[in-house]
Amino acid sequence: MILAIRAPGLAFSGDAPSGLAMLDHADSCATPADRGMLLHQRAFILWQNGRLPEALKWFEKAEPMLEEHGPDWLYGALFHNRAAVWRELGELQKGLKSEQRARELFAVAGHHVHSTKAQHAEALFWLDLGEITRAISGFEQVRLLYREHAPELEAFVNGSYAEALMRVGMNRQAGEHCDEAIASWRLHGDVRNSAFTEYRRAVIAHESGDYEMAETWARQALDSLYSQGIETWSFLAQLLVLQARFDAERDDSGFSSKVDRLCDALESRGLTLRLDQARILAARSYIRAGDLETAQERLSRPLEAQGYEQLPANLARHLALAELARARNRDPFPALQAGLNLLDEYRTQFGSMEFQAGVSALGIQLASMGLTGATTSGSPVMMLEWAERCRGQALRIPPVKPSADPEAREALARLRQARQRLWDLQVEGKEADEALKRVHELEEEIRAYDRTKPGPRQQSERIPAERIHERARERGTVIVNLFEVGGYLRAVLAGAGSIRHVQLMKLDAAAETGRRLGADLDALGAPFKLPDRLRLSVEGSLRRNAEALADGIWYPISEFVGDRQVVIVPHSQIAWVPWPLLPPLRGRPMTVAPSSEAWMRAVSRPAVHGPALVAAGPALNTAGTEIDSIADLYPGAHLMRADESDPELILKALDGASVAHLAAHGHHEPDNVLFSRLDFRQGPLNAYELLGLDQPPGHVVLSSCDLGRSTVAVGHETLGFTAALLHAGTPTVVSSLGRVPDDLAAEMMVDYHRCCATGASPAEALAAVGENRPWHPFVCFGALSGIANQS
């Protein structure tokens, strides 16, 4: 018995032969009751060293003996460990069935920690099978069980959660979870799990496009795995090193042969996990080397991946097929479109707005190749269609209404109370660390709940470029679609004459100028009065930056646009540019849209005719006068004053409102965008809650700071308070891209609503009231008009 327990320890230290020899010695003196344990330990060591088919054989021999003689925990462990072998072999259904049997046995025997481990492994199988939301729900349950029975094991959940987030393109958050797990494993001296998580960290770095970091992490994992004798994962780490070198264009003349040898090693050991990835990498390397026949042969082999792995394998294969077509001077676009269509379908399985946006990251290489190819072709129609495939994809999916769920509403109520408690402590100047921690815990609880919601499994149809062009032309509008190819910002213009393409300034220069412009605007909107000399200096800087953007972006297209209304669809790196500040756009009706298709759907939405809502939050100096004056312009309006403002009542009044004006302090949360919020007396109104509206308001004005800002998720999707309203279905949102003084907001918004009340569209009204207020930060988002079909 002692020898059987010590043998795996030798294998873990990298001396598997000595461990197996120890079992041989123990076998000579073992009783029939002990033989099942010896066979199991032999299978275990063989598994740990990558000899998977042999491990399965010995697990099979051990099963009847352990069933008869026990111990019961080891009989359950046999199914648990054999499930892991099936997982590495890519036999997911067999592995899931074995893991579920292990969980049953552990539960019957009362082994809570082992049962929790089996439940965790079962969730990992759901993850592998592509049931991401089901897996995340399982991880959250397991996290609580670990905290109760084995707190030291919670780091396992961080690593698993990282893997789930990576599979929906949320690489930054996945990396943070991995870093936490690695630190925990190292602290406990667990080199084995540390190596596995280092490998996962390398994958995340690669998916984020940081190939140098990916290679560094992969080599670190490779060295550790190899020294421990963990052959299977050593091969996977080696594959990742090669993939990173290839994508960084640091492959050498013998690269294809190296990948082929790795394919042979994987195949000879029956390892289908990542085998497709290796074969496709080999094919792409042959394409790059000009050996197209060999590449074709590699790509003609059927994919062997199961579950989720089918998606990345298919995406990589379509990318390789497009590269092969291009190398043969054939059309690469069908392969690229087929790959992105798979991604579109995958996106619809998620109810979380974060996940829907993050999924776009998985198709960046396909979309980028398509957009570059369209630009090279010189066809503006193709450029517009491919620019549309690079952004706003989450907006094609109807929102799931998670906040309508009683559990979610209860959690939101607790969050509101916690936020109010935090606010009270901060106002009183008291210690608030525990209150802030509680707020973050509740936000994470709601966020985790949101991520488990299934998606609608449907999406809006794509709109051809010609229809977008014709619709814009009918409305006297030019849509300016900004995208990047070759380091340059480019515009595809639709709505006048024919669709055309114009090359603009360098994207890096535009992004940096836009950043400085935003910083200048924030400085002018500071709550304290700037000294005159400093104010003049900031205004001068703002003017220069605004003129630089006008020179680089607007003037090259101004003649084509003429005097038409303007819709700007910005590149993600200039999503924060306050376009009305550009001198030639001052006083001109314009709006900013997340995509051309989103604009077209917005202008086509039926009008909303419910009573207007006018509400104010606390601590605004001029809110009372502002909302009284605005409410008088809308007969029958719901008026909610600051001292009685309740976010629950505001949500009810928002549903079906023709127009809503919300004057309150706002907060954009770049690291947790669904909790960007407006402050009201009874607590905050979170962006997350807006997705639960049954009939979103037709026109929303946010008379507050920063809530026009958005966080750009990986994949060029944007998230934030304004984005949540647009995603929920509100056609037009007017909000601020920076700080705004209370008195300026109040004065300007009263004038704005007066213009709207006389029949002006939101874009026309904002242009009119902004013409003599040159440094205001308000922007009209969505559609030019808050009323559908109004030309």
Side-chain angles (χ1 to χ4, degrees):
M1 179 71 75
I2 294 174
L3 294 177
I5 294 172
R6 287 188 59 195
L10 289 172
F12 275 127
S13 67
D15 191 2
S18 294
L20 292 172
M22 185 174 288
L23 291 177
D24 289 337
H25 178 68
D27 190 57
S28 64
C29 54
T31 66
D34 292 334
R35 192 166 299 280
M37 174 179 283
L38 292 175
L39 296 178
H40 174 276
Q41 301 299 72
R42 183 177 298 277
F44 186 88
I45 292 173
L46 291 168
W47 161 43
Q48 294 298 308
N49 285 268
R51 296 160 65 178
L52 305 185
E54 291 179 77
L56 288 175
K57 181 183 72 174
W58 289 102
F59 276 134
E60 185 176 351
K61 290 183 177 181
E63 182 179 345
M65 298 181 186
L66 288 174
E67 182 179 19
E68 180 178 358
H69 300 291
D72 55 4
W73 66 268
L74 191 59
Y75 183 48
L78 179 141
F79 289 93
H80 176 67
N81 293 329
R82 184 160 57 188
V85 177
W86 285 126
R87 186 182 183 213
E88 291 189 22
L89 287 169
E91 296 284 354
L92 301 180
Q93 291 294 345
K94 291 180 180 178
L96 176 62
K97 185 176 179 181
S98 184
E99 198 64 70
Q100 289 171 334
R101 176 61 174 151
R103 186 178 172 190
E104 290 173 6
L105 292 169
F106 287 138
V108 169
H111 296 295
H112 299 298
V113 174
H114 291 313
S115 179
T116 303
K117 287 182 178 180
Q119 186 175 346
H120 186 182
E122 183 181 335
L124 286 170
F125 274 107
W126 290 121
L127 184 65
D128 290 339
L129 288 164
E131 297 283 348
I132 311 293
T133 55
R134 183 170 183 173
I136 287 176
S137 179
F139 295 152
E140 289 304 317
Q141 294 172 24
V142 167
R143 186 188 297 278
L144 297 176
L145 290 170
Y146 277 150
R147 286 177 181 174
E148 180 180 357
H149 300 295
E152 71 279 4
L153 298 180
E154 189 176 345
F156 278 114
V157 181
N158 288 331
S160 301
Y161 214 106
E163 194 166 342
L165 293 175
M166 183 185 66
R167 294 185 182 192
V168 290
M170 298 184 66
N171 297 318
R172 181 180 62 80
Q173 296 92 331
E176 290 170 357
H177 279 279
C178 258
D179 292 340
E180 290 178 15
I182 291 169
S184 177
W185 295 134
R186 289 176 177 172
L187 182 65
H188 291 90
D190 191 334
V191 293
R192 176 181 172 79
N193 283 305
S194 180
F196 288 147
T197 313
E198 287 163 2
Y199 168 77
R200 191 176 290 119
R201 188 67 182 85
V203 175
I204 293 166
H206 181 268
E207 293 300 312
S208 301
D210 191 339
Y211 304 130
E212 183 177 351
M213 179 181 286
E215 184 176 351
T216 298
W217 277 111
R219 286 193 182 281
Q220 185 168 318
L222 174 60
D223 291 343
S224 180
L225 292 164
Y226 187 79
S227 67
Q228 296 175 64
I230 307 174
E231 183 185 62
T232 303
W233 289 89
S234 297
F235 285 138
L236 300 186
Q238 184 180 352
L239 173 60
L240 189 53
V241 169
L242 293 172
Q243 184 77 60
R245 293 188 67 82
F246 179 84
D247 289 331
E249 298 185 2
R250 289 190 288 111
D251 46 320
D252 52 32
S253 58
F255 187 85
S256 300
S257 297
K258 291 179 185 177
V259 182
D260 273 341
R261 287 196 295 272
L262 183 58
C263 288
D264 292 341
L266 291 170
E267 196 166 8
S268 66
R269 289 161 175 80
L271 301 174
T272 59
L273 188 67
R274 306 287 193 276
L275 178 57
D276 292 322
Q277 179 185 339
R279 286 174 174 168
I280 293 166
L281 176 59
R284 294 183 67 199
S285 70
Y286 280 115
I287 294 169
R288 185 174 288 179
D291 187 350
L292 306 186
E293 293 305 317
T294 303
Q296 178 68 63
E297 187 276 328
R298 296 293 188 275
L299 291 174
S300 65
R301 299 181 183 182
L303 297 178
E304 299 190 31
Q306 297 184 30
Y308 168 80
E309 289 297 328
Q310 290 178 335
L311 177 66
N314 264 310
L315 295 178
R317 185 170 184 273
H318 282 100
L319 180 64
L321 289 170
E323 290 172 339
L324 181 60
R326 185 176 60 185
R328 289 174 165 170
N329 295 316
R330 298 175 185 171
D331 185 1
F333 293 109
L336 297 172
Q337 290 168 339
L340 289 174
N341 288 342
L342 289 173
L343 205 59
D344 286 346
E345 184 65 27
Y346 177 65
R347 185 183 287 105
T348 65
Q349 73 174 269
F350 302 108
S352 164
M353 185 176 168
E354 282 186 300
F355 283 5
Q356 292 167 2
V359 163
S360 297
L362 305 179
I364 281 180
Q365 285 184 293
L366 291 165
S368 178
M369 184 177 176
L371 187 54
T372 300
T375 304
T376 303
S377 76
S379 167
V381 171
M382 289 182 64
M383 292 181 213
L384 177 54
E385 290 176 344
W386 278 95
E388 287 295 288
R389 296 220 70 157
C390 295
R391 58 188 166 213
Q393 303 307 298
L395 294 173
R396 298 178 55 231
I397 302 174
V400 175
K401 304 187 186 305
S403 59
D405 187 289
E407 290 183 26
R409 292 182 67 84
E410 182 180 339
L412 285 165
R414 293 197 302 270
L415 174 60
R416 243 191 285 282
Q417 292 170 1
R419 274 262 173 222
Q420 192 63 39
R421 172 64 176 159
L422 175 62
W423 172 259
D424 291 341
L425 290 172
Q426 290 172 334
V427 168
E428 295 168 9
K430 296 181 179 179
E431 172 60 46
D433 287 351
E434 285 301 315
L436 180 61
K437 180 181 177 183
R438 178 59 177 160
V439 165
H440 289 161
E441 286 174 351
L442 287 168
E443 287 180 348
E444 283 306 306
E445 178 184 330
I446 295 167
R447 197 178 193 185
Y449 174 83
D450 180 60
R451 290 170 173 175
T452 65
K453 301 301 291 184
R457 296 285 184 177
Q458 57 181 297
Q459 59 192 321
S460 300
E461 293 294 325
R462 295 203 171 275
I463 304 173
E466 290 86 350
R467 281 182 55 198
I468 294 172
H469 173 64
E470 184 60 26
R471 183 65 163 151
R473 190 191 62 78
E474 291 171 358
R475 298 177 66 88
T477 298
V478 171
I479 304 177
V480 181
N481 299 270
L482 299 175
F483 65 96
E484 177 270 335
V485 169
Y488 283 92
L489 195 63
R490 300 166 184 272
V492 174
L493 303 130
S498 59
I499 301 174
R500 67 177 62 187
H501 161 242
V502 180
Q503 180 175 302
L504 306 173
M505 67 191 300
K506 286 274 191 178
L507 176 60
D508 288 348
E512 176 58 22
T513 305
R515 186 196 64 76
R516 292 198 303 263
L517 182 63
D520 292 337
L521 190 61
D522 274 350
L524 289 180
F528 50 86
K529 182 177 176 60
L530 295 177
D532 288 344
R533 290 182 63 180
L534 179 57
R535 177 180 56 79
L536 290 173
S537 176
V538 173
E539 287 182 354
S541 174
L542 193 153
R543 186 179 296 107
R544 288 190 297 274
N545 287 317
E547 289 172 350
L549 284 177
D551 289 341
I553 296 176
W554 180 256
Y555 288 121
I557 63 175
S558 59
E559 184 177 349
F560 175 79
V561 176
D563 59 359
R564 299 173 184 86
Q565 293 185 323
V566 178
V567 175
I568 293 180
V569 181
H571 186 279
S572 59
Q573 289 191 37
I574 52 174
W576 284 16
V577 169
W579 299 98
L581 268 62
L582 274 59
L585 293 177
R586 191 174 301 148
R588 182 181 194 126
M590 63 162 298
T591 190
V592 175
S595 72
S596 297
E597 289 187 6
W599 171 82
M600 188 159 173
R601 286 191 292 270
V603 299
S604 303
R605 284 194 178 97
V608 183
H609 299 291
L613 166 66
V614 184
L620 288 177
N621 297 330
T622 57
T625 305
E626 177 182 351
I627 65 170
D628 285 342
S629 299
I630 292 171
D632 288 342
L633 298 170
Y634 300 101
H638 290 295
L639 177 60
M640 195 171 298
R641 302 185 188 281
D643 58 357
E644 61 186 20
S645 57
D646 184 334
E648 290 280 355
L649 297 178
I650 289 169
L651 270 176
K652 290 180 181 178
L654 277 172
D655 233 329
S658 55
V659 61
H661 179 90
L662 305 176
H665 282 299
H667 309 271
H668 175 65
E669 296 287 351
D671 293 324
N672 207 350
V673 288
L674 293 181
F675 295 101
S676 295
R677 62 194 181 278
L678 285 170
D679 290 336
F680 293 102
R681 175 62 66 189
Q682 302 303 320
L685 174 63
N686 299 293
Y688 175 73
E689 298 173 87
L690 301 172
L691 302 176
L693 296 171
D694 291 321
Q695 189 178 22
H699 171 198
V700 175
V701 179
L702 303 174
S703 183
S704 55
C705 294
D706 295 346
L707 288 187
R709 289 185 173 175
S710 57
T711 292
V712 179
V714 177
H716 308 304
E717 302 276 349
T718 56
L719 297 171
F721 201 96
T722 294
L725 279 166
L726 296 174
H727 189 75
T730 293
T732 305
V733 182
V734 173
S735 55
S736 169
L737 281 172
R739 294 174 178 171
V740 53
D742 293 353
D743 54 351
L744 172 63
E747 174 195 355
M748 186 172 173
M749 289 298 100
V750 171
D751 288 348
Y752 169 83
H753 282 283
R754 286 193 183 119
C755 286
C756 289
T758 62
S761 73
E764 292 166 340
L766 190 62
V769 302
E771 191 165 7
N772 297 317
R773 299 175 175 94
W775 308 135
H776 77 83
F778 288 98
V779 175
C780 182
F781 293 91
L784 281 163
S785 172
I787 302 174
N789 304 318
Q790 186 182 63
S791 299

